[in-house]
C-alpha cells in the first residue's frame, strides 16, 4: 500500500486526497440526519426538541410495551422473512436460467425481471393493487408477501447472477457425468459456490421488505400494519418520540444486515485467497 502511494505523481496524490475529502463530506451529509434522530430517542421530554431536557429510556419502554408497535414489528418480521424465503427460491432459479440461456431476448427478459428496482415505488404499488384487488389479495398477509417478493427478487437475481459470472459450468457437467442427479448436483456443487451471492441477496431482500412502506400503504389492512407504516402514520397523525425509538431500531437492524453482508464478503475473499 505504501509502495503504491510512493509511486503516485503529485497530481494523483492531490486527486486521491480530494476524493477522500469529498467522500467523507458526502458521508457526513448522509449520516447527519440519522445521528440527529438517535439522541432524541433517549430524551425524557414529551416533544422532539433540542437541547434534551434529560436522558431516559421511556420511549423504548413505550415501544416495547405497546401492543400497537409490537404487532407492527411482528408483521414486519413475518412478511420480511416469508418474502425473503420466496425471493431466494425464485431469484436463484431465475439467475441460473438466465446464466445458461443464450438468446438475443435475454437482455429484454433481464430488464423485465429487474424492473421492480427501476420503476418508482408508487407505480409498482398502484399496479399491484389493481392486479391483486380483483382476486381478493389486498388486505391480506399473502398479498403483502407476494408484493414484497416481487420487490425483493431482483436483488437476489443480481447478486446470484454476479456470482455465476465466475462459475465454471464444467463442474456441474462433471457431477452429472458421475451420475449425480440435477438436484444432488445443485445441492453439493452449485449451491456451495453461489452461497455468498445468495446470502447477500437474502440480506438485501429482507432489508427491502422490512423498510418498505409505499406498497403497504396501498395494500395492507388494519391487521397488516408494518413498522414503517406505523411510523408513517405516527408522523402524520401524532408525532411522538416513540417514533424515534422505532427509527433507531430500524437503523440498528440495517446496520447489522450491512455488517453481516460485509463479513460474508470478506470471508468469501479469504476463501478465494486461500484457494
Amino acid at each position: 500500500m505504501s509502495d503504491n502511494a510512493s509511486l503516485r505523481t503529485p497530481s494523483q496524490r492531490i486527486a486521491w486526497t480530494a476524493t477522500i475529502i469529498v467522500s467523507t463530506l458526502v458521508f457526513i451529509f448522509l449520516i447527519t440526519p440519522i445521528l440527529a434522530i438517535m439522541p432524541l430517542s433517549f430524551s425524557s421530554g414529551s416533544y422532539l426538541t433540542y437541547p434534551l431536557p434529560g436522558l431516559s429510556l421511556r420511549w423504548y419502554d413505550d415501544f416495547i410495551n405497546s401492543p400497537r408497535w409490537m404487532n407492527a414489528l411482528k408483521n414486519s418480521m413475518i412478511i420480511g422473512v416469508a418474502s425473503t424465503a420466496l425471493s431466494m427460491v425464485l431469484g436463484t432459479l431465475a439467475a441460473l436460467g438466465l446464466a445458461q440461456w443464450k438468446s438475443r431476448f435475454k437482455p429484454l427478459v433481464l430488464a423485465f425481471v429487474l424492473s421492480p428496482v427501476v420503476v418508482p415505488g408508487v407505480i409498482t404499488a398502484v399496479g399491484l393493487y389493481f392486479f391483486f384487488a380483483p382476486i381478493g389479495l389486498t388486505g391480506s398477509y399473502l398479498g403483502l408477501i407476494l408484493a414484497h417478493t416481487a420487490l425483493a427478487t431482483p436483488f437476489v437475481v443480481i447478486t446470484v447472477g454476479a456470482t455465476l459470472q465466475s462459475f465454471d459450468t464444467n463442474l456441474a457437467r462433471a457431477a452429472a457425468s458421475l451420475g449425480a442427479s440435477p438436484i444432488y448436483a445443485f445441492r453439493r456443487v452449485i449451491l456451495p459456490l453461489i452461497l455468498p451471492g445468495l446470502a447477500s441477496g437474502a440480506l438485501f431482500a429482507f432489508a427491502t421488505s422490512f423498510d418498505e412502506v409505499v406498497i403497504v400503504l396501498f395494500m395492507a389492512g388494519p391487521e397488516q400494519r408494518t413498522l414503517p407504516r406505523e411510523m408513517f402514520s405516527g408522523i402524520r397523525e401524532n408525532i411522538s418520540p416513540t417514533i424515534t425509538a422505532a427509527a433507531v431500531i430500524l437503523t440498528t437492524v440495517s446496520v447489522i444486515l450491512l455488517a453481516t453482508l460485509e463479513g460474508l464478503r470478506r470471508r468469501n475473499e479469504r476463501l478465494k485467497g486461500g484457494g
Side-chain angles (χ1 to χ4, degrees):
M1 190 70 157
S2 58
D3 293 338
N4 292 335
S6 62
L7 294 175
R8 294 191 185 119
T9 63
S11 60
Q12 288 177 329
R13 286 195 291 268
I14 292 174
W16 176 250
T17 303
T19 301
I20 293 177
I21 293 174
V22 172
S23 300
T24 303
L25 291 176
V26 171
F27 175 77
I28 293 174
F29 175 77
L30 294 175
I31 203 71
T32 297
I34 299 175
L35 297 179
I37 286 293
M38 286 184 173
L40 292 173
S41 66
F42 298 99
S43 174
S44 61
S46 300
Y47 302 97
L48 303 178
T49 59
Y50 278 111
L52 301 180
L55 297 178
S56 174
L57 295 176
R58 59 181 292 195
W59 304 117
Y60 288 93
D61 181 71
D62 181 66
F63 179 86
I64 294 172
N65 294 317
S66 170
R68 180 169 61 94
W69 286 104
M70 285 294 99
N71 185 63
L73 180 60
K74 182 191 72 173
N75 288 337
S76 291
M77 294 298 298
I78 292 173
I79 296 169
V81 171
S83 61
T84 299
L86 276 177
S87 65
M88 287 173 65
V89 175
L90 297 176
T92 302
L93 293 175
L96 289 171
L98 289 169
Q100 299 176 8
W101 188 33
K102 307 299 181 182
S103 172
R104 61 179 181 176
F105 297 107
K106 179 178 176 179
L108 181 62
V109 174
L110 182 60
F112 177 78
V113 172
L114 302 182
S115 60
V117 179
V118 182
V119 175
V122 174
I123 296 176
T124 303
V126 172
L128 288 171
Y129 175 81
F130 282 107
F131 179 74
F132 284 166
I135 57 179
L137 286 179
T138 56
S140 67
Y141 284 102
L142 179 59
L144 281 176
I145 290 171
L146 293 177
H148 282 200
T149 299
L151 286 181
T153 299
F155 292 98
V156 181
V157 174
I158 292 171
T159 55
V160 174
T163 305
L164 288 172
Q165 294 295 323
S166 58
F167 177 73
D168 187 1
T169 56
N170 291 325
L171 297 175
R173 295 193 184 99
S177 67
L178 294 173
S181 64
I183 296 178
Y184 187 83
F186 173 79
R187 184 168 59 87
R188 298 300 299 269
V189 178
I190 300 176
L191 184 59
L193 295 175
I194 67 172
L195 192 58
L198 185 59
S200 301
L203 290 175
F204 278 117
F206 181 80
T208 300
S209 173
F210 197 78
D211 292 339
E212 204 283 324
V213 67
V214 179
I215 288 178
V216 177
L217 288 172
F218 274 85
M219 296 186 55
E223 296 180 357
Q224 293 86 41
R225 295 172 71 95
T226 60
L227 189 57
R229 179 181 174 178
E230 200 66 48
M231 294 174 63
F232 181 85
S233 300
I235 293 172
R236 186 180 59 182
E237 299 166 3
N238 179 28
I239 299 180
S240 168
T242 307
I243 296 174
T244 61
V248 171
I249 291 173
L250 275 176
T251 303
T252 303
V253 171
S254 300
V255 170
I256 292 173
L257 291 176
L258 290 174
T260 304
L261 181 62
E262 179 64 15
L264 290 173
R265 186 188 66 80
R266 293 188 178 185
R267 177 178 177 272
N268 188 42
E269 287 183 352
R270 286 197 300 270
L271 291 176
K272 287 183 178 179

